[in-house]
Amino acid sequence: MNNAPSKYRLPFGSMWKMKIEHPYSLLVQEDGFAWTCGQCPLDEKGQVAHANDLIAQTHHVVQSIRTILSKAELQSPKVGKLVVYYVEQSADCVQQMLAILQQEFGTDVIIQPIAVPYFYYSGMLVEIDVHAAESKHFLRSTVIDKLGLKVHITDFDELVWVKVVAEERGQGSQGVNADQLAEALVAVDLGVEELLADHWFVHPHLGLPMFDAFAAKGFVTDLGAAAITRLPMKTAVVGELTFAKRSGSQRNSVFSARRIGDLTLTLRQKGDFFWAGVRIGNSAMTLPEQTRKAMIALNNALLTHSLSFDHVCKVTTHYVGDNTPADLHDNMTVRNAYYAQPGPASTGLPVDSLMDSQSLVTIDVLGKFLR
């Protein structure tokens, strides 16, 4: 693989492993920004550590994150966002988990908890994605909590990470929350035109009208890719958004969206960053079949824009499957064929369902142009 000098990859194997060979990296760093794969409470043999103990597993993963960041080539690394996927055992345990993370990483960092139905290894209860950067990029952390909408923004100049949590407040509140999000972003000089990437998680009963309101404002790339999942009481919608600022010296903005048959694909370029997401909506296809077709489409879309999987820093996959390692491994085997070691940082998570019930998997990639 031909890597530019500015890209650094920390390969798997030195800390923990999975029970399948794969080409991914523990961490990928590009020009002062870094992304990890989902950090799991696994040991060097792929066995679950502290089985069924959320608190002990959280401490285990925190130590892994500390070690990984210490091995990165970042000058004074600062965590901007933690996406915390977990299996809920009790509300008290979840609060303890979040308190541990805040104590370890500070109040500036976005901590975005997302409940999942299960993990693919029995006894595993947590997996954490880390988004970090060199401290010199950090400008500010802003929290806005108003009338049922909480927005947390960490601004790292070129990239801005945004957490959105919206509560159901009764008839007519949906549009108000969407307007409040737009206003919160304007306060930090952002708008939908700077949106690079988005993941949405929707309560199966409370969330649909609220989600539609955010979509109407342009904050949702693909309605069918949103995950239907378990959210805390009264929480209707959770959004994980990434924005990219563009200076005059950077490349122009590019937006490409298409739907052909059962294929939905979007590609965005904002400055030197790009993001592409793909989904297949076809209930006649199995999970590996949908994954294979999605990867072919994604590869072709990147090539059309003079990109390749070598440019990818972070891959996120949400899929619908059984709670067995086989579903994860079958899915990964298809995706793995498109990468060479050391590949991108990758996270693959089961969800209850996707908004488009005919879709079993949604895959997106984020990266930066090699210089």
Side-chain angles (χ1 to χ4, degrees):
M1 181 177 293
N2 181 23
N3 294 336
S6 62
K7 188 183 289 292
Y8 167 76
R9 292 182 171 101
L10 180 63
F12 261 89
S14 58
M15 295 174 53
W16 57 274
K17 294 183 179 180
M18 298 182 69
K19 296 178 182 178
I20 181 176
E21 292 298 320
H22 55 81
Y24 302 117
S25 297
L26 284 174
L27 174 142
V28 175
Q29 176 185 327
E30 180 82 35
D31 290 337
F33 291 90
W35 300 262
T36 73
C37 69
Q39 294 301 301
C40 303
L42 301 176
D43 63 20
E44 63 277 3
K45 295 181 180 180
Q47 300 297 321
V48 175
H50 315 289
N52 296 309
D53 188 334
L54 179 60
I55 304 309
Q57 289 186 8
T58 301
H59 283 295
H60 183 102
V61 172
V62 165
Q63 187 56 50
S64 295
I65 293 170
R66 291 290 190 197
T67 303
I68 287 172
L69 291 178
S70 73
K71 293 177 180 292
E73 297 183 349
L74 295 170
Q75 296 180 9
S76 184
K78 183 174 180 61
V79 175
K81 178 172 70 173
L82 300 172
V83 184
V84 185
Y85 299 98
Y86 69 96
V87 175
E88 185 170 5
Q89 293 181 311
S90 71
D92 286 344
C93 280
V94 173
Q95 290 307 310
Q96 289 182 60
M97 174 188 71
L98 298 178
I100 291 166
L101 296 173
Q102 188 167 81
Q103 182 177 1
E104 289 287 339
F105 298 104
T107 56
D108 284 343
V109 63
I110 288 174
I111 300 175
Q112 186 134 27
I114 301 294
V116 296
Y118 42 75
F119 285 106
Y120 23 84
Y121 295 138
S122 178
M124 181 171 150
L125 300 177
V126 67
E127 180 171 346
I128 301 178
D129 267 352
V130 183
H131 303 244
E134 293 178 342
S135 294
K136 67 181 181 181
H137 292 294
F138 180 65
L139 296 183
R140 57 193 163 185
S141 174
T142 304
V143 177
I144 299 169
D145 192 350
K146 184 179 180 181
L147 298 176
L149 180 74
K150 184 171 184 177
V151 182
H152 189 171
I153 302 167
T154 53
D155 189 340
F156 282 80
D157 196 14
E158 277 190 86
L159 283 182
V160 183
W161 291 303
V162 178
K163 167 186 174 181
V164 179
V165 178
E167 293 183 355
E168 175 56 53
R169 295 186 290 115
Q171 198 76 18
S173 65
Q174 295 87 2
V176 173
N177 279 346
D179 288 337
Q180 287 176 193
L181 175 58
E183 292 169 5
L185 294 172
V186 168
V188 293
D189 301 318
L190 288 176
V192 291
E193 61 274 11
E194 280 84 38
L195 180 64
L196 178 68
D198 59 305
H199 297 126
W200 291 91
F201 305 88
V202 183
H203 190 287
H205 306 300
L206 301 177
L208 297 182
M210 188 81 67
F211 179 63
D212 288 342
F214 287 123
K217 288 290 183 179
F219 293 115
V220 180
T221 297
D222 176 10
L223 278 75
I228 305 295
T229 191
R230 308 162 197 200
L231 297 176
M233 186 178 298
K234 296 185 179 180
T235 299
V237 177
V238 171
E240 178 206 342
L241 283 64
T242 302
F243 293 80
K245 298 178 182 178
R246 293 184 296 113
S247 69
S249 63
Q250 292 176 315
R251 294 174 175 84
N252 292 327
S253 176
V254 172
F255 176 76
S256 173
R258 54 181 169 159
R259 183 166 186 175
I260 304 173
D262 57 12
L263 169 70
T264 301
L265 188 145
T266 307
L267 186 143
R268 283 195 181 94
Q269 176 194 323
K270 304 292 180 182
D272 287 334
F273 292 94
F274 70 89
W275 177 84
V278 63
R279 175 178 59 82
I280 308 298
N282 188 334
S283 59
M285 299 175 70
T286 65
L287 174 59
E289 288 170 342
Q290 288 195 16
T291 301
R292 184 173 292 106
K293 185 172 181 178
M295 291 300 293
I296 292 171
L298 190 55
N299 181 56
N300 291 339
L302 293 177
L303 291 174
T304 299
H305 292 270
S306 301
L307 294 164
S308 74
F309 286 110
D310 280 352
H311 295 85
V312 173
C313 296
K314 176 67 179 176
V315 184
T316 304
T317 303
H318 294 147
Y319 67 90
V320 182
D322 294 328
N323 58 334
T324 63
D327 263 13
L328 168 72
H329 293 171
D330 289 347
N331 188 346
M332 282 184 66
T333 298
V334 175
R335 292 183 280 124
N336 293 355
Y338 286 84
Y339 302 99
Q341 290 182 333
S346 178
T347 300
L349 271 304
V351 296
D352 289 306
S353 63
L354 297 173
M355 189 69 76
D356 182 346
S357 61
Q358 296 195 82
S359 293
L360 298 177
V361 63
T362 176
I363 306 168
D364 62 78
V365 297
L366 185 149
K368 200 171 185 187
F369 286 87
L370 301 179
R371 293 179 179 177

